[in-house]
Amino acid sequence: LARAAGLQVPKTGGAQKPRPDTGLYDMLSACASYYAEQLKQHPPAVEYLKQRGLSGEICRDFGIGYAPSGWDSLIKKLGNSEGKLAQLKKVGMLSEGKSGAYDKFRDRIMFPIHDRRGRVIAFGGRALSDDGPKYLNSPETTLYHKSRELYGLYLARQKSGRLDEIIVVEGYMDVVALAQFGFRNAVATSGTATTTMQVEMLFRAADTVVFCFDGDAAGRKAAWRAMEATLPKMREGLQARFLFLPEGEDPDSLVRAEGPEKFRSRVDEAVPLSDYLLENLESRVDMSSVDGRARMAELARPLLSR
């Protein structure tokens, strides 16, 4: 049409982003298989999972594995050429020290993180010893962007397709423990605050999202940030609710202590977003005075405008 009219077509946008090397996905899949195999050969790791109440079936479904304690176990297994070693570095499986590269994950229960197509893109590792942080996550890579992913979402959708409801928790073990007790609709953020992009993914998968947080100050701060991320995505027919657990409890410990029926009733009684927002704002002002109510309206206005 432009040629026929003698016009120049304006060019928009930049060059397409290069697609990630498919070999990187293959490498992460090989890492997951290696860790799953290592779990079978490490009785203390199996015993730990049994103590946490997890069955072999659940561990298989989630692809849970074990990273050996050696400094170069993964390198010896999968990094047997310069190209393979470079791939391991590229996908965040190695750390760099004075004497060269070494395994990033050591003596840890390993949780593979999948993308929406079911491909392994990263890992979370839970320490079995006191060496290093309790939880360690893969760094950001060309395949893995924490703000865009949710642990357990692919598996939840595989089980049920379109979900009636999704429960958002804070940890990998919380997701797996809830699945063990029949809640196959739980997902977790990977150690980051909930983002608007993640909320969009949640509402694509379900009409109701229940944010489940610890009842302490940190949990309430995380809940408020989740609420702020959710507001721009709210529309007719969608619901967001907030569930605060007793202080000192997390979904993993609570569902084991009181059973799935009691936990189900807690989820059903979660506070709607509108109530949570208003209760939080009312707690910041003196609602018995005109000035306090005016201040509350000022605090609410920018939030409601979203």
Side-chain angles (χ1 to χ4, degrees):
L1 285 172
R3 275 199 303 272
L7 298 173
Q8 182 73 32
V9 178
K11 292 191 178 346
T12 58
Q16 278 192 334
K17 291 182 182 177
R19 291 187 176 183
D21 176 9
T22 53
L24 299 181
Y25 292 109
D26 294 337
M27 175 55 78
L28 284 167
S29 178
C31 290
S33 298
Y34 171 67
Y35 290 142
E37 197 58 41
Q38 287 299 304
L39 178 62
K40 299 173 189 173
Q41 300 171 24
H42 195 77
V46 174
E47 189 56 36
Y48 169 79
L49 292 169
K50 283 181 179 176
Q51 286 174 3
R52 298 299 294 262
L54 301 182
S55 67
E57 181 192 2
I58 285 292
C59 291
R60 183 202 65 215
D61 288 354
F62 281 85
I64 294 172
Y66 170 72
S69 56
W71 289 85
D72 59 355
S73 304
L74 189 66
I75 292 174
K76 283 178 178 174
K77 179 68 178 177
L78 299 174
N80 47 19
S81 69
E82 277 190 33
K84 297 291 185 185
L85 206 59
Q87 284 185 331
L88 283 171
K89 287 179 182 177
K90 217 169 196 177
V91 293
M93 298 308 292
L94 305 182
S95 294
E96 201 69 43
K98 290 180 182 177
S99 54
Y102 59 91
D103 291 2
K104 183 178 186 68
F105 297 97
R106 303 178 309 282
D107 194 26
R108 289 179 179 272
I109 299 294
M110 299 298 289
F111 300 87
I113 300 169
H114 301 87
D115 66 7
R116 277 159 279 189
R117 290 167 60 180
R119 299 172 297 190
V120 178
I121 53 172
F123 290 89
R126 204 278 185 201
L128 280 183
S129 61
D130 294 329
D131 182 23
K134 184 176 176 182
Y135 279 97
L136 185 65
N137 299 318
S138 289
E140 296 263 327
T141 67
T142 54
L143 305 185
Y144 178 53
H145 304 280
K146 293 179 184 179
S147 63
R148 302 181 200 169
E149 303 297 339
L150 288 159
Y151 175 72
L153 182 58
Y154 171 75
L155 294 167
R157 297 192 76 172
Q158 286 295 104
K159 282 288 178 185
S160 305
R162 176 74 182 172
L163 300 161
D164 296 326
E165 169 190 85
I166 291 180
I167 304 170
V168 183
V169 295
E170 295 184 80
Y172 307 120
M173 193 61 85
D174 293 325
V175 172
V176 180
L178 287 175
Q180 177 73 64
F181 282 88
F183 296 91
R184 289 284 189 144
N185 59 335
V187 303
T189 55
S190 301
T192 61
T194 308
T195 66
T196 299
M197 201 175 297
Q198 289 169 332
V199 172
E200 191 172 309
M201 289 168 60
L202 290 165
F203 279 134
R204 278 189 205 147
D207 292 335
T208 300
V209 176
V210 179
F211 293 99
C212 180
F213 292 100
D214 297 351
D216 58 13
R220 291 191 174 274
K221 185 177 178 182
W224 186 256
R225 292 176 73 174
M227 188 276 298
E228 289 181 311
T230 303
L231 283 175
K233 299 300 174 184
M234 292 302 293
R235 63 176 193 272
E236 189 76 26
L238 301 181
Q239 289 186 68
R241 305 208 307 272
F242 291 80
L243 168 60
F244 294 99
L245 304 181
E247 203 155 338
E249 298 281 6
D250 56 33
D252 174 21
S253 63
L254 199 60
V255 75
R256 282 190 288 142
E258 62 183 25
E261 288 181 14
K262 177 70 174 168
F263 191 84
R264 177 73 255 173
S265 67
R266 287 182 183 274
V267 172
D268 293 340
E269 292 163 11
V271 179
L273 181 145
S274 53
D275 290 356
Y276 169 62
L277 188 154
L278 293 174
E279 285 169 12
N280 189 292
L281 296 182
E282 286 174 4
S283 70
R284 303 186 199 180
V285 299
D286 176 12
M287 289 297 288
S288 65
S289 72
V290 174
D291 287 347
R293 293 196 292 277
R295 173 66 182 147
M296 192 263 195
E298 286 302 310
L299 291 171
R301 186 169 287 115
L303 293 167
L304 296 178
S305 71
R306 294 186 195 183

